Amino acid sequence: MKNFEYLEPRSVQEACQLLRQHGEEARIFAGGTSLSIVMKQGFFQPKYLVNIKKIPDLTGIRWDPKRGLTLGALVTHRELETSPLIQETFPILSQIEEDVANIRVRVMGTVGGNLAYAEPLTDLPQILIALEASIRVAGPDGDRTMSLEELFVDYYETSLRPDEILTEVLVPTPPPRTGIEYIRFSSSSVIDKPCLGTAVRFTLEEDLETVRTARVVLGCVAPTPLRARQAEALLEGKRYEVQRVKEAAAFASRECKPVSDLRGSEAYKREMVRVLVTRAAPRAFEKARAFRGQV
Amino acid sequence: MSRFITLSVNEVSRRVEVEPRETLLEVIRDHLGLTGAKLGCDIQVCGACTLLVSGKPVSSCSFLAVDADGCEVTSIEGLSCNGRLHRLQEAFIETGGLQCGFCTPGFILTAKALLDEQPHPSEEQIKKYMAGNLCRCGCYQEILDAIQKVAGRRAVQNG
Amino acid sequence: MKDQMIGSSVRRVDHEAKVTGRAQYLADMKFPGVCCGKILRSPIAHGRIRGMDASAALRVPGVLAVVTRDDFLNNSRIDPYYGPVFKDQSIVALDKVRFMGDPVAGVAAVTESAAEEALAAIQVDYEELPAVFDVLEARREGAPLVHEIIRVPPHGFEDLAGLRPKESSNICTHFQLTRGDVERGFAESDHVFEDVFTLPDTQHSSLEAHAVVAWVEPGGRIVVWSTTQNPFVIRTQLSNIFRVPVSQVRVLVPYIGGGYGGKLYPKLEPLAVALALKAQRPVRIVLSREEVFLTITKHAAHIRIKTGVKNDGTLWGRECEVLLDTGAYAEIGPRVAKKSGYTAAGPYRIPHVKINSYCMYTHKPPAGAFRGFGVSQSAWACESQMDIIAAALKMDPLELRLKNAYEEGDTFATGETLTNVGLTDCIKRAARAVGWGDRRPRNSSSPLARGKGLACLIKATITPSLSSALVKMNEDGSVNVYTGTIEVGQGSETVLSQIVAEELGLTMEQVRVAPMDTDVVPYDLTTSSSRSTFHMGKAMQLACQDLKGQLRELASQLYKVPKDQVRVEDGKVTIPDASLSYREILCTRFGMSGGNLVGQGVVKTSMLSPTGEKSTSAFWFLGAGAAEVEVDRETGRVRVLKYASAADVGKAIHPLGCRQQLEGAAVTGVGQTFFEQMVFDNGQLINPNFIDYVLPSLLDVPEVIESLMVEVPHPEGPFGAKGIGETGLIPVAPAIANAIYDAVGVRIKDLPITPEKIFMALQAQREGTTLEDR
Ligand SMILES: Cc1cc2nc3c(=O)[nH]c(=O)nc-3n(C[C@H](O)[C@H](O)[C@H](O)COP(=O)(O)OP(=O)(O)OC[C@H]3O[C@@H](n4cnc5c(N)ncnc54)[C@H](O)[C@@H]3O)c2cc1C
């Protein structure tokens, strides 16, 4: 690693100022689990590292029945995994976190870093998008809010400006009769990064048969997390049926844009999208029917 | 650009001058001479460099030393006291949870963090917690035995 | 009552140091004045070096030395060429670079960053040449040559004598084994099967990277600390390179953080010494993880295997062509190819055999020894095909194996007689352990399908070879033990101590293995080939017996009793009417509390057995593995529910150690079966890190691993022991592949067995085609 100056702002404003001041030569440093890798490899050699971990406003998990869940950008994977509040309100998040990376990366790595890095092989974005999460972003000129989907632009590229900081993730309270299932699929070791990740979420009508909202969000099969919109459209507003799920899965498999890499060929990944959507949907449906206020 | 940081290392307070780019592993090994933590993969996968920072396992190969300023650090050297081995150390020996020993300090510290958090983990919990430490000699079954042994013994003691 | 020593899992002598973090590995050690060495590596796969300018590197502040080819051209004091079999490697590239990562220059500097800056300042002008990246390409007529000339050293390994590079080709060596007449064998067979199997390049992935610290003392003596598994080979090679007597080279080895064959033969030592000579200071080189991947690999292989079988399942003919990819340098590849050749007929009686095993050069990182080398490649083909045959003949794979497996007194493919063979026992016990024959009812609505598979093996140990040991008794009767065996984690310190303790009737505490230092310990060929317990263990036993002989002699002289009335037993010397401690004997002998007695033991195996028969191996490793798997037909993912590993250990001196060896090998085997693979793109390794080169974790290993030890004692092994370090790895991949076939009816012939390969094969199966048609 090349040397750099280590800055420790105490407020979001101060951090944004530092980022503005140093421009391209500065980088936000949260858990450092991703950044350390590119810095060691020499791909990225910032002159200034802006550690945001001393900013109290960026921490903490909050829940409000109306607004939903608020995750500070510095909430770690491990906090999501072990927080009683999460286990009560969004158990899906703590369940999936058990399989993310390894214990040490979970202890250090943050939600903000996971999203802002926009690495394609991750798990959280799919689930959070399926839950219609939004993010708050602070810049030198104030805050803005956008849907999480809008954050992702390309491989390792987000819509954040260099002097902006992702401060919070907001996950709305799930509407009644909502169920979500996430399947993390690895094509080698269980602890390998995902080959693909599939989130399926349903919100049902009162009849518990008709799908009001469907979200099919695919990870690792496109430059950004991908909503399989055709699949969603096929499922929405109709009775849940196994045959329709199969068709939707086939749509999803066509909609995604995987590339062949170490973790599988394009053809295989498309096939797995089909299989995993088919597997996740009935579980999400059952969970939605059994909804007890948490997902 | 270097600065002073203060660490509590195995309950002894240490003041060290470090450069921002130095990792906690480098500081612990090169400045403080505690070489139990090893550099293995340098990319947070193998766990040979595991140290406990505020009781939690981290990959010290990728952890900036400046970021540890003011923290409590536990290394393998801090586990045995007065010449007596920690229960986990004893259990790893008894069950044969090591061969070449290069991964062992990392495994033992991770297991300690697990048992401190969760004194009676299920087998599944142990596996998930420990899966991020790699043993290329392949002593996984014995390592699992060792941790279960200590967890079980605790259960008896606490019960 | 005295505790049983042999056969008891005593507390290992190295473990306390290891669990407390106090065991010193090379990177942990402090050396006054040490500076940092770094290596400049070739960015291209094949090219001629037109020019090089290192002057800017020398101007970087803190740089102490730069070593390039200019240091060796016209330098009669150094022979830059080396290599365990052929002298095809050089300290740095001299004329050509032969793989992406080939060392081109070395730098020593006071800090790591200065060394890195200096590397960046070295200018190299390459003329890029066409390159070959696999064995089939390399064999083609007109393929680019990796080496134009190859230097053959005058005194090579005896077992490899006669193997020579084939001129103007990429064939490094060609080993042939014939028996009977294979064409006749096929003609007389009822069925002939022909298949091609492949294995990719993989890497040992010791968690400890290779490291070295070297310096040259005033007067020219070379001192090297190294993470090597065979210090005596390093010593010989350094003595040849730097043209000094062997006595002027001292090699020391601390604890090693995993070897598995990856730390044999010269790696960084020649360059480190060259840098130290110039820098006039100790130089330390520690490889990065990426560099480890570029330093040594396991041979990729392409194996065509053809087998003739009678209707009743009798194997009648076997033709096999093994192409092993040794990369840019021969390393120990010729022996790997030879061992592959020997075992390509499998552990079976086959009257007509024709094996051609080639060690091939390509423009890839050099491949060398990897736990079970040669055999793990050929067994993948041989044992997978056994089940293809069984399926075609509608025979039980277990029965097919038992019908053909070697038994006591059978003749091996080389013509020699096999003795002390516990093979069928291993096969039966492994099969029983997974409940062979018990079928679970198949649930057709579930995508999960279960199956069971078997594989077995025969493997040789390096022969001829040599191990010597010294046991030095101190004034109180305790002993220091001197051995060239390296403690790589296998527990050699403990097992050797146990053997000494048992022989001399001492406690473990009274026995201490001395640190490894070639200045002090007597010669040992190598810590590899599962040879140490058998060879060094026996040498220890002989050294103890020598010592006991001396004690008997002394007692007879000192106490004036006939020698045949002196007994050395249970840690005491008994003469008529008295029982004397060792301490008393030594005290009487030297007239003070001081002095030593030194016993020596030497084991030399030869290519002729004691009865004058040809002997390929001092003993044979026999073993079997059985797996039960569950395959997800929809995704192709496999879970190994149970793996049973059976090995003929001769005698388990430390049963826990044996279990660890078998289990550990099974774990490595699982990684190699399912995901380990170095992936190259035009010669560039694209996954030289543990995120992309995935190793097995606690969650990937079989839910149950059972280790079964068969004990058919070997008369020459210490207390009957044979080796065990590698046996367990070899059958894993074919046993699992066979279990997958049993579960879902698809045959994967190319490792690793990824879910994708299974999925695609299943898809082809549903569509009524085979993979090869597609
Ligand atoms: C070995 C390994 C395995 C992994 N496996 C998985 C896996 O299975 N699943 C998975 O989902 N992920 C996985 N990851 C990725 C992991 O989740 C991320 O590394 C982690 O969440 C990043 O968080 P961080 O705080 O460490 O980010 P940092 O490394 O500190 O930062 C990453 C990037 O985000 C920027 N950044 C950080 N915080 C903010 C912010 N608040 N606002 C704006 N920009 C910011 C930084 O400038 C930097 O560019 C793995 C990582 C590793 C190293």
Side-chain angles (χ1 to χ4, degrees), chain C residues 503-527:
Chain C
E503 270 304 320
L504 295 176
L506 300 174
T507 62
M508 286 294 280
E509 204 196 353
Q510 289 171 296
V511 181
R512 176 80 217 173
V513 177
M516 168 59 224
D517 176 348
T518 55
D519 266 15
V520 178
V521 310
Y523 187 87
D524 178 52
L525 180 63
T526 173
T527 299

Short mmCIF file of all heavy atoms in Angstrom, two decimals, chain C residues 503-527:
data_model
loop_
_atom_site.label_atom_id
_atom_site.label_comp_id
_atom_site.label_asym_id
_atom_site.label_seq_id
_atom_site.Cartn_x
_atom_site.Cartn_y
_atom_site.Cartn_z
N GLU C 503 12.38 -47.41 21.90
CA GLU C 503 13.60 -48.22 21.76
C GLU C 503 14.47 -48.12 23.00
O GLU C 503 15.07 -49.10 23.42
CB GLU C 503 14.41 -47.76 20.56
CG GLU C 503 14.10 -48.43 19.24
CD GLU C 503 14.21 -49.95 19.26
OE1 GLU C 503 15.14 -50.49 19.90
OE2 GLU C 503 13.35 -50.60 18.64
N LEU C 504 14.56 -46.91 23.57
CA LEU C 504 15.49 -46.71 24.68
C LEU C 504 14.81 -46.77 26.03
O LEU C 504 15.45 -46.58 27.06
CB LEU C 504 16.23 -45.37 24.51
CG LEU C 504 17.16 -45.26 23.30
CD1 LEU C 504 17.74 -43.85 23.21
CD2 LEU C 504 18.28 -46.29 23.38
N GLY C 505 13.49 -46.97 26.01
CA GLY C 505 12.77 -47.04 27.27
C GLY C 505 12.76 -45.71 28.00
O GLY C 505 12.86 -45.66 29.23
N LEU C 506 12.67 -44.64 27.26
CA LEU C 506 12.65 -43.31 27.88
C LEU C 506 11.24 -42.73 27.84
O LEU C 506 10.36 -43.25 27.15
CB LEU C 506 13.59 -42.37 27.11
CG LEU C 506 15.07 -42.79 27.07
CD1 LEU C 506 15.84 -41.85 26.15
CD2 LEU C 506 15.67 -42.78 28.47
N THR C 507 11.04 -41.63 28.57
CA THR C 507 9.79 -40.92 28.44
C THR C 507 9.93 -39.94 27.27
O THR C 507 11.05 -39.62 26.86
CB THR C 507 9.48 -40.09 29.70
OG1 THR C 507 10.53 -39.12 29.85
CG2 THR C 507 9.43 -40.98 30.93
N MET C 508 8.79 -39.44 26.79
CA MET C 508 8.84 -38.46 25.72
C MET C 508 9.65 -37.24 26.14
O MET C 508 10.34 -36.62 25.34
CB MET C 508 7.41 -38.02 25.32
CG MET C 508 6.63 -39.03 24.54
SD MET C 508 7.32 -39.35 22.89
CE MET C 508 6.68 -37.92 21.99
N GLU C 509 9.53 -36.89 27.41
CA GLU C 509 10.22 -35.71 27.90
C GLU C 509 11.74 -35.85 27.83
O GLU C 509 12.45 -34.85 27.72
CB GLU C 509 9.78 -35.49 29.35
CG GLU C 509 9.92 -34.09 29.82
CD GLU C 509 9.86 -33.99 31.33
OE1 GLU C 509 9.58 -35.00 32.01
OE2 GLU C 509 10.11 -32.88 31.81
N GLN C 510 12.20 -37.07 27.90
CA GLN C 510 13.65 -37.27 27.88
C GLN C 510 14.23 -37.25 26.46
O GLN C 510 15.44 -37.32 26.29
CB GLN C 510 14.00 -38.62 28.53
CG GLN C 510 13.79 -38.61 30.03
CD GLN C 510 13.94 -40.01 30.61
OE1 GLN C 510 13.16 -40.91 30.29
NE2 GLN C 510 14.97 -40.20 31.43
N VAL C 511 13.34 -37.15 25.48
CA VAL C 511 13.79 -37.18 24.08
C VAL C 511 13.55 -35.81 23.47
O VAL C 511 12.49 -35.23 23.62
CB VAL C 511 13.00 -38.23 23.27
CG1 VAL C 511 13.49 -38.27 21.83
CG2 VAL C 511 13.10 -39.59 23.93
N ARG C 512 14.54 -35.29 22.82
CA ARG C 512 14.37 -33.96 22.24
C ARG C 512 14.93 -33.97 20.82
O ARG C 512 16.08 -34.33 20.60
CB ARG C 512 15.14 -32.97 23.12
CG ARG C 512 15.17 -31.57 22.64
CD ARG C 512 13.88 -30.86 23.00
NE ARG C 512 13.52 -29.98 21.92
CZ ARG C 512 12.38 -29.30 21.86
NH1 ARG C 512 11.47 -29.44 22.81
NH2 ARG C 512 12.15 -28.50 20.86
N VAL C 513 14.11 -33.59 19.86
CA VAL C 513 14.57 -33.51 18.48
C VAL C 513 15.28 -32.18 18.29
O VAL C 513 14.76 -31.13 18.63
CB VAL C 513 13.38 -33.64 17.50
CG1 VAL C 513 13.87 -33.47 16.05
CG2 VAL C 513 12.68 -34.98 17.67
N ALA C 514 16.48 -32.24 17.77
CA ALA C 514 17.28 -31.02 17.59
C ALA C 514 16.74 -30.22 16.40
O ALA C 514 16.17 -30.79 15.48
CB ALA C 514 18.73 -31.39 17.34
N PRO C 515 16.96 -28.91 16.42
CA PRO C 515 16.54 -28.09 15.28
C PRO C 515 17.26 -28.53 14.01
O PRO C 515 18.37 -29.05 14.06
CB PRO C 515 16.97 -26.67 15.66
CG PRO C 515 17.24 -26.70 17.12
CD PRO C 515 17.59 -28.11 17.47
N MET C 516 16.59 -28.30 12.90
CA MET C 516 17.12 -28.76 11.62
C MET C 516 18.21 -27.81 11.11
O MET C 516 17.95 -26.64 10.86
CB MET C 516 15.94 -28.80 10.63
CG MET C 516 16.34 -28.97 9.20
SD MET C 516 17.27 -30.46 8.91
CE MET C 516 18.52 -29.76 7.85
N ASP C 517 19.40 -28.36 11.00
CA ASP C 517 20.55 -27.57 10.56
C ASP C 517 21.46 -28.53 9.83
O ASP C 517 21.94 -29.51 10.42
CB ASP C 517 21.22 -26.98 11.83
CG ASP C 517 22.49 -26.21 11.52
OD1 ASP C 517 22.99 -26.28 10.39
OD2 ASP C 517 22.99 -25.53 12.44
N THR C 518 21.72 -28.28 8.57
CA THR C 518 22.53 -29.24 7.80
C THR C 518 23.95 -29.34 8.33
O THR C 518 24.65 -30.30 8.04
CB THR C 518 22.59 -28.88 6.29
OG1 THR C 518 23.07 -27.53 6.18
CG2 THR C 518 21.24 -29.02 5.63
N ASP C 519 24.39 -28.34 9.11
CA ASP C 519 25.71 -28.44 9.72
C ASP C 519 25.75 -29.49 10.81
O ASP C 519 26.83 -29.94 11.21
CB ASP C 519 26.09 -27.09 10.36
CG ASP C 519 26.91 -26.23 9.41
OD1 ASP C 519 26.93 -26.55 8.20
OD2 ASP C 519 27.52 -25.25 9.88
N VAL C 520 24.61 -29.82 11.33
CA VAL C 520 24.55 -30.64 12.53
C VAL C 520 23.93 -32.00 12.27
O VAL C 520 24.45 -33.02 12.69
CB VAL C 520 23.75 -29.89 13.62
CG1 VAL C 520 23.63 -30.75 14.86
CG2 VAL C 520 24.40 -28.55 13.94
N VAL C 521 22.81 -32.01 11.58
CA VAL C 521 22.10 -33.28 11.43
C VAL C 521 22.64 -34.04 10.23
O VAL C 521 23.14 -33.44 9.28
CB VAL C 521 20.57 -33.08 11.29
CG1 VAL C 521 20.04 -32.19 12.39
CG2 VAL C 521 20.20 -32.54 9.93
N PRO C 522 22.59 -35.36 10.30
CA PRO C 522 23.10 -36.15 9.17
C PRO C 522 22.12 -36.13 8.00
O PRO C 522 20.98 -35.71 8.13
CB PRO C 522 23.24 -37.55 9.76
CG PRO C 522 22.24 -37.61 10.85
CD PRO C 522 22.11 -36.22 11.40
N TYR C 523 22.60 -36.64 6.90
CA TYR C 523 21.88 -36.54 5.63
C TYR C 523 20.52 -37.24 5.63
O TYR C 523 20.36 -38.35 6.11
CB TYR C 523 22.75 -37.17 4.53
CG TYR C 523 22.17 -36.97 3.15
CD1 TYR C 523 22.45 -35.82 2.43
CD2 TYR C 523 21.32 -37.92 2.59
CE1 TYR C 523 21.90 -35.61 1.17
CE2 TYR C 523 20.77 -37.73 1.33
CZ TYR C 523 21.06 -36.57 0.63
OH TYR C 523 20.51 -36.36 -0.61
N ASP C 524 19.57 -36.53 5.04
CA ASP C 524 18.29 -37.16 4.70
C ASP C 524 17.90 -36.66 3.32
O ASP C 524 18.09 -35.48 3.01
CB ASP C 524 17.21 -36.79 5.72
CG ASP C 524 15.86 -37.39 5.35
OD1 ASP C 524 15.82 -38.62 5.11
OD2 ASP C 524 14.86 -36.66 5.28
N LEU C 525 17.35 -37.55 2.51
CA LEU C 525 17.05 -37.14 1.14
C LEU C 525 15.97 -36.07 1.08
O LEU C 525 16.13 -35.03 0.47
CB LEU C 525 16.63 -38.36 0.31
CG LEU C 525 16.30 -38.07 -1.16
CD1 LEU C 525 17.52 -37.55 -1.91
CD2 LEU C 525 15.76 -39.32 -1.83
N THR C 526 14.86 -36.33 1.75
CA THR C 526 13.74 -35.41 1.57
C THR C 526 12.60 -35.75 2.52
O THR C 526 12.42 -36.90 2.91
CB THR C 526 13.23 -35.49 0.11
OG1 THR C 526 12.02 -34.72 -0.01
CG2 THR C 526 12.92 -36.90 -0.32
N THR C 527 11.83 -34.72 2.87
CA THR C 527 10.59 -34.94 3.61
C THR C 527 9.47 -34.88 2.58
O THR C 527 8.93 -33.82 2.27
CB THR C 527 10.39 -33.87 4.69
OG1 THR C 527 11.48 -33.96 5.61
CG2 THR C 527 9.09 -34.07 5.44
#
